Each structure stands twice: as C-alpha cells, then as structure tokens.
Amino acid sequence: MRELVQYIFLFVALLLLQVFVLNNIHIAGWATPFLYILFFLKLPTEMSRNWSITLGFIFGLIIDLFSNTPGLFALSTAFLAFLRNPLIYLYVPKDDVKNGAPSYQTIGIGAFLKFAITASLIFCFTIFFVESFSLFNLKLLLLKIVTSTILTFILIISIESIKPINK
C-alpha cells in the first residue's frame, strides 16, 4: 500500500512539474527536458507490459491535453513503456534483476546510467521525429534530439543521486 501511494505521488508530482514548468523550458530553442519519463524508469520490473503501456498512454494523454499536442506524448510515452523491460534486460541479465524499481541499488550504477540514457534517447527520438514527421531539416532534428536527451538524462541522474547509494 505504501508503494502505491509513493507511485501515485510520483505520478502527480512529475505530471504537474512537466506540464506547468518543464514544457515551458526550451534552452536555446532546442533542449526541452522531459523529466516525467522518470516515472516509467522507476516502475517495478515485475509490472506487466500491458499495465506499463496503459499507464504510459494515460500519462502521455494527460500531458497532451495540457500541451495541445494531440497524441504526441501519448505515443512516445507508450512506446517507451513498451521498451522499458527489454532495455533493462539489455544491460542486466534477467536473473540479476531484483524485483522492484530499477535504481543504482537494484541494477548497479553503470547499468542504470546506460538504461537511463538509452531510454531518454529513445523517447526524445520518438517525440521529435513524430513531431517533425520528416527528415527535411535533419541537422535541427538531431540537435533537438541530442540536446533534449542530454538535458533529460542530467535531470534524471540529478534526482536519482539525491538518494544515498547503499554498498
């Protein structure tokens, strides 16, 4: 029950932060932080893929409603939720993944950093590629993807580093 309350609080906090603060930040006109994907990185590994995708779609749809981007965030977030567990298992053998939320403690520092940067890159690529839906201005598209990925990754690691690492 306690974990459910924590996930609900994280859901609401990241949703409000993304909608009212982070969606209005565009560093140099290119980099936009998408910290709300941290919610999907922190879901328990034993959660079914169907529930992850459903939560991703709902979360993205709520952000779409506030951002006036019909379906853009819903698609990108559901796609990230679909790929979440395979991404974890890409860096950590399935037998070594402990039940619970992926973090420095459960999958290791190196694996978590690789997982977070890959998830950020996949999300940013999906959202900006679908938004532009062309490769007409490839340099600008790549610049937005790279800068937003870096900014999102920095924010995710900053939030994760607040908790002490148990050795």
Side-chain angles (χ1 to χ4, degrees):
M1 186 65 172
R2 182 176 175 225
E3 287 181 10
L4 179 63
V5 171
Q6 287 177 338
Y7 280 113
I8 291 171
F9 175 75
L10 183 63
F11 182 92
V12 171
L14 289 174
L15 176 73
L16 294 174
L17 183 65
Q18 185 68 43
V19 167
F20 294 114
V21 178
L22 298 177
N23 276 356
N24 299 315
I25 296 174
H26 304 287
I27 298 174
W30 304 308
T32 304
F34 299 108
L35 183 61
Y36 82 95
I37 68 170
L38 178 63
F39 178 78
F40 299 96
L41 302 182
K42 301 302 290 178
L43 286 176
T45 54
E46 64 269 8
M47 177 178 274
S48 77
R49 184 179 267 185
N50 292 339
W51 274 110
S52 296
I53 294 169
T54 303
L55 282 174
F57 180 78
I58 291 169
F59 203 143
L61 193 60
I62 293 170
I63 292 178
D64 280 330
L65 291 172
F66 283 103
S67 304
N68 198 24
T69 54
L72 182 64
F73 285 96
L75 170 77
S76 301
T77 309
F79 184 62
L80 177 64
F82 174 76
L83 293 177
R84 187 180 71 87
N85 278 354
L87 281 178
I88 294 169
Y89 301 138
L90 180 66
Y91 300 114
V92 180
K94 198 170 189 173
D95 298 337
D96 293 346
V97 176
K98 299 174 184 126
N99 288 340
S103 66
Y104 293 141
Q105 293 89 357
T106 57
I107 65 173
I109 292 174
F112 184 79
L113 293 176
K114 289 185 244 178
F115 168 59
I117 192 75
T118 307
S120 300
L121 180 63
I122 288 171
F123 179 81
C124 291
F125 175 81
T126 306
I127 202 160
F128 288 119
F129 184 74
V130 171
E131 180 184 49
S132 71
F133 209 66
S134 76
L135 296 175
F136 179 71
N137 197 346
L138 187 60
K139 288 181 184 177
L140 181 62
L141 178 64
L142 291 176
L143 184 63
K144 283 182 172 183
I145 291 169
V146 169
T147 55
S148 294
T149 298
I150 292 169
L151 186 57
T152 301
F153 177 70
I154 289 170
L155 287 175
I156 288 171
I157 298 307
S158 299
I159 297 296
E160 275 298 300
S161 67
I162 292 173
K163 295 184 281 183
I165 299 173
N166 299 332
K167 291 191 177 189

